[in-house]
Amino acid sequence: MIKYQGMEFNTCKNVYEPAEDTFLLADNLEVKKSDIVLEIGTGTGIIGILASNIAQNVVTIDINKYAVKCAQNNAAINQAHIDVRLGDLFDPVEDEKFDLILFNTPYLPTEEEDVVDDAIDAAWNGGKDGRTVIDRFIDGLKEHLNPDGRVQLVQSSLSNVEETIGRMMEMGFEVSITACERFFFEEVVVLTGTLI
Ligand SMILES: C[S@@+](CC[C@H](N)C(=O)[O-])C[C@H]1O[C@@H](n2cnc3c(N)ncnc32)[C@H](O)[C@@H]1O
C-alpha cells in the first residue's frame, strides 16, 4: 500500500507500482476544475484519482486488465468517481474529446529478448527505440482534444524527448518541459503541451 497526499492506494499483482515517474507527474499535474480529463495507462489509478480530486469528469484507460481492476478498487477505496476502461490507447474513447490528456508512458527501449510474457510488460516496454507507444499516442492526440486542449506526458531521455517535442510542435502544440528529474542512467521529464 502507498500513501500520497493523505490518500491510500493499493498496489496490485501484475500492475505497475507507482514509482518516481508517477510522483513526478503527480507533483506537477496541471488540472483545472472545469477540465474533462483523460488518463491513459492508469495502472493503479493514482494519477486519475488525484485528477478527480479537482476535476469532476475523469476517464482512465489501461490495456492491462489487472490495472483496470486495480484502479477501480483504488477509486472505491478513495471514494473517487473515475470511469475506468479497458483498451488500447484511445480505442475506448473513440468519439470523445477532452480538455486534458495525461499519460505516464511506457518509455523504455526494449529489445525482443527482454520482452516479458506478462501483462506488466506493457508498463515499460516502449519497443526497440522506446517510442512505439509514445508515437502512437501522439498520432491520436489531436483528434481527442478540445480547442485549447492540453497534454501532460512522462518520458525518459532514453526515448528521445526532442523527437516528441518536435512532433508535437508540428501538430500545433506549444510544448515545454515542466518537470525533470535525473536518475542514474536517464532523465525523466514531464512534457506539457497546449494546442494553439
Ligand atoms: C509507466 S506505467 C504508468 C502507470 C500509472 N499511470 C503510474 O503513473 O503509476 C504505464 C501504464 O500504461 C499502460 N499502457 C501501456 N501501453 C498502453 C496502451 N497501448 N494503451 C493503454 N494503456 C497502456 C500500462 O499497462 C501501464 O499501466
Side-chain angles (χ1 to χ4, degrees):
M1 198 253 290
I2 283 184
K3 286 190 179 179
Y4 182 80
Q5 289 185 0
M7 301 172 85
E8 293 183 355
F9 301 91
N10 281 335
T11 55
C12 308
K13 196 166 178 273
N14 294 320
V15 178
Y16 188 75
E17 185 168 331
E20 290 87 352
D21 49 6
T22 311
F23 299 115
L24 191 66
L25 179 58
D27 289 343
N28 292 282
L29 281 176
E30 296 181 12
V31 184
K32 296 180 193 162
K33 202 170 173 200
S34 59
D35 281 341
I36 300 174
V37 181
L38 172 65
E39 188 214 355
I40 294 187
T42 198
T44 56
I46 181 168
I47 298 292
I49 292 168
L50 290 169
S52 78
N53 286 340
I54 299 167
Q56 283 195 344
N57 211 325
V58 179
V59 176
T60 74
I61 292 171
D62 207 291
I63 199 166
N64 174 356
K65 65 180 180 186
Y66 301 103
V68 169
K69 272 224 147 57
C70 189
Q72 284 168 336
N73 182 46
N74 278 320
I77 290 170
N78 289 290
Q79 295 173 347
H81 298 287
I82 59 171
D83 175 356
V84 191
R85 304 182 192 175
L86 175 67
D88 181 14
L89 293 178
F90 298 100
D91 284 357
V93 289
E94 210 181 350
D95 303 322
E96 293 167 69
K97 287 189 188 280
F98 301 85
D99 302 307
L100 175 65
I101 300 180
L102 307 166
F103 193 7
N104 179 9
T105 66
Y107 51 68
L108 283 187
T110 307
E111 296 291 341
E112 278 294 318
E113 60 267 27
D114 296 325
V115 175
V116 184
D117 184 19
D118 202 312
I120 191 87
D121 185 74
W124 53 72
N125 185 344
K128 216 175 158 68
D129 61 359
R131 299 198 53 84
T132 306
V133 181
I134 294 172
D135 282 331
R136 289 177 53 230
F137 171 67
I138 294 172
D139 289 341
L141 254 184
K142 227 174 146 174
E143 198 183 318
H144 294 281
L145 276 174
N146 286 322
D148 304 322
R150 288 125 52 226
V151 57
Q152 291 195 282
L153 72 94
V154 180
Q155 75 164 98
S156 152
S157 52
L158 298 175
S159 46
N160 199 342
V161 175
E162 293 70 30
E163 170 85 10
T164 304
I165 294 175
R167 288 207 57 207
M168 288 176 66
M169 284 172 70
E170 271 170 25
M171 292 171 73
F173 285 91
E174 197 170 73
V175 192
S176 55
I177 296 175
T178 49
C180 177
E181 203 166 328
R182 185 144 230 357
F183 298 101
F184 183 54
F185 58 95
E186 63 178 342
E187 258 175 16
V188 174
V189 302
V190 176
L191 293 179
T192 300
T194 306
L195 260 184
I196 46 170

